[in-house]
Amino acid sequence: MMGLLANDFVLREDNCNLSCEYCLTGQSNFKARHSLKLIFEPPQRDTYSPSGNLGMRMHGVVEGISRSSPLPIIKVTGGEIFLVRGIMHFLRKLSKEYATVVIQTNGVLVNDEVAAEIESWGNACLQISLDAVSYEGNSYRSTSERQHRMVIDRIFSSLERRIPTEIYLVLTDRSVPWLAHTLESLLPYHDHLQVCPFPVRGPEKSKFYFRPEQIPLMREILDRYDRYAPVLPPRAYWRRLVRFLEEGGRTFRCHLPRFAFTSFDDGTVTPCPNIWFNTIGNVLTEDAGAVMEQIGKTAFYQLLLADKPRVDACKGCFTPWDTLSMYMDGEITIDELCSSPMYSAPESRAAIERIARDYREGRSECSASSSHPTSG
């Protein structure tokens, strides 16, 4: 297989210490246990050790994939990964093996000691999930003002460190009215922070989606882009986001499966980090090399990479990963793309340029019906 950019590695995806009402795992039927699991059950602590069951699976997945497809980026997410005791030992090991280790968390369990060590590695990127700095805007994620204050205090404590950080800011009917306030609150951290807004997703998103009359609030941010530019993705990202909202969904192409895939601690591999469907195989129960060879080659990839979205779930999807598609479509430059902490390493930049070059020259195994990128 041809080299990719990132492995989105998911640990204990059904175990979290928050109860976000729109949680995608809680709405997922990707695995049998998802349909049987109440995401709002009390969180359970697990333990990582190299010789333990979970640790052996984690190492088996990562090592099986890396033997077949060396990657510059590994993103470790959940669930909430810091519910796993000893997880720092695993992350520390990854930091020595990858150009960038992306750590996605809600931030609650990232204490000063953890943040200090992550900062010391020099190649880690925190991705912190949030709706808004205010309780009113964040109340789909926080069940009380007390819990919200704890979350915000811990997040801002992490931001006081100089860890490259991306805030994954979920846009809902409650958070959008507080968007300007949230951006103002985060501006002081602009030298190591990027805020990445995106609409709430999932089969039940209508319960949380912002109302049509709130869309002009997004236009107002675009009109004042220069004010918030220090912490926002490129202006073109905001234009694409507003277009997505005004058109009622995605009409432009997605290139994400050319760059990344998702793996789980049980060995399952699926082609899209945004939406879990269509299993490629299992790198723990099957030959890992043979499974990875299927990336980009199955018929389902042709659906995911079509000129226009063909899968309903794709039509309702817009996330910070979209900057990769924007680069492929010529809407942003490689410098703009790699201003993101996640893609800033030279090794990642080289991989992105190679994937784009191979695609444009028609050599990509993940190529769809057209051999050239199309703007949306």
Side-chain angles (χ1 to χ4, degrees):
M1 63 170 290
M2 302 185 74
L4 296 169
L5 175 68
N7 173 11
D8 180 64
F9 184 38
V10 182
L11 306 179
R12 295 297 312 274
E13 70 275 9
D14 51 1
N15 195 32
C16 188
N17 55 336
L18 293 184
S19 300
C20 304
E21 294 183 37
Y22 52 72
C23 177
L24 291 178
T25 303
Q27 302 174 41
S28 171
N29 290 316
F30 179 60
K31 299 180 183 179
R33 77 167 187 262
H34 290 173
S35 62
L36 301 174
K37 172 78 175 181
L38 294 175
I39 193 64
F40 305 128
E41 290 179 352
Q44 299 177 2
R45 285 281 188 173
D46 210 329
T47 299
Y48 162 83
S49 70
S51 59
N53 183 268
L54 176 62
M56 291 176 65
R57 296 201 315 268
M58 290 161 61
H59 286 285
V61 172
V62 171
E63 292 168 7
I65 289 171
S66 63
R67 283 195 299 269
S68 305
S69 180
L71 303 163
I73 298 172
I74 187 164
K75 175 176 174 177
V76 186
T77 182
E80 173 49 56
I81 65 170
F82 288 103
L83 282 172
V84 179
R85 297 186 188 91
I87 191 64
M88 288 295 288
H89 296 294
F90 180 68
L91 297 175
R92 189 181 303 124
K93 181 177 186 296
L94 295 181
S95 74
K96 299 173 182 177
E97 299 173 353
Y98 290 82
T100 301
V101 178
V102 181
I103 302 168
Q104 187 165 49
T105 174
N106 56 42
V108 174
L109 300 177
V110 181
N111 59 30
D112 290 342
E113 181 181 357
V114 168
E117 180 173 352
I118 291 173
E119 182 182 15
S120 73
W121 298 339
N123 68 333
C125 166
L126 281 180
Q127 284 184 351
I128 300 177
S129 304
L130 183 69
D131 291 4
V133 169
S134 70
Y135 171 65
E136 294 86 348
N138 203 52
S139 54
Y140 285 135
R141 298 179 61 84
S142 297
T143 56
S144 68
E145 291 194 49
R146 179 178 176 276
Q147 184 191 61
H148 172 74
R149 180 44 51 196
M150 178 185 67
V151 170
I152 293 300
D153 286 350
R154 192 55 63 86
I155 288 174
F156 276 86
S157 178
S158 295
L159 288 174
E160 291 295 328
R161 300 279 177 180
R162 301 191 63 80
I163 306 169
T165 300
E166 298 175 357
I167 297 287
Y168 269 33
L169 199 70
V170 183
L171 301 173
T172 70
D173 60 334
R174 294 181 184 175
S175 68
V176 167
W178 292 92
L179 180 55
H181 171 262
T182 296
L183 295 176
E184 291 285 350
S185 301
L186 296 171
L187 272 175
Y189 305 96
H190 64 87
D191 59 343
H192 60 283
L193 172 67
Q194 187 171 87
V195 183
C196 306
F198 64 102
V200 64
R201 300 181 296 123
E204 297 182 14
K205 68 178 183 180
S206 61
K207 298 179 182 178
F208 317 103
Y209 212 73
F210 44 95
R211 300 181 298 275
E213 62 268 25
Q214 293 178 318
I215 293 179
L217 296 175
M218 306 296 292
R219 276 268 172 210
E220 290 178 14
I221 299 294
L222 179 57
D223 292 341
R224 301 182 63 198
Y225 177 83
D226 290 342
R227 167 66 184 167
Y228 305 116
V231 293
L232 287 179
R235 190 189 302 266
Y237 176 93
W238 204 265
R239 291 196 186 106
R240 181 180 271 218
L241 173 57
V242 171
R243 176 185 168 188
F244 174 90
L245 299 173
E246 291 181 340
E247 293 181 352
R250 188 181 196 92
T251 58
F252 32 82
R253 191 172 201 167
C254 179
H255 295 272
L256 176 56
R258 303 184 196 283
F259 293 91
F261 58 92
T262 286
S263 61
F264 295 82
D265 64 66
D266 65 0
T268 303
V269 176
T270 188
C272 178
N274 281 339
I275 303 167
W276 301 338
F277 44 21
N278 190 261
T279 300
I280 296 174
N282 189 302
V283 295
L284 292 180
T285 61
E286 305 170 49
D287 179 81
V291 172
M292 297 305 293
E293 278 293 328
Q294 294 303 304
I295 290 183
K297 294 182 177 179
T298 67
F300 195 67
Y301 270 88
Q302 304 305 312
L303 288 175
L304 296 180
L305 296 167
D307 289 349
K308 300 290 183 182
R310 296 179 183 175
V311 181
D312 285 344
C314 297
K315 295 175 183 177
C317 181
F318 185 104
T319 75
W321 289 100
D322 249 67
T323 53
L324 290 168
S325 295
M326 295 179 68
Y327 170 66
M328 295 291 276
D329 288 345
E331 296 178 23
I332 61 174
T333 67
I334 188 67
D335 288 337
E336 288 177 310
L337 174 61
C338 294
S339 68
S340 162
M342 184 173 180
Y343 308 125
S344 61
E347 297 89 336
S348 300
R349 183 184 182 115
I352 291 166
E353 292 182 310
R354 174 186 47 74
I355 292 167
R357 182 175 60 251
D358 288 347
Y359 167 60
R360 288 163 182 161
E361 293 176 359
R363 296 200 300 266
S364 172
E365 292 180 355
C366 294
S367 61
S369 57
S370 171
S371 61
H372 298 282
T374 58
S375 297

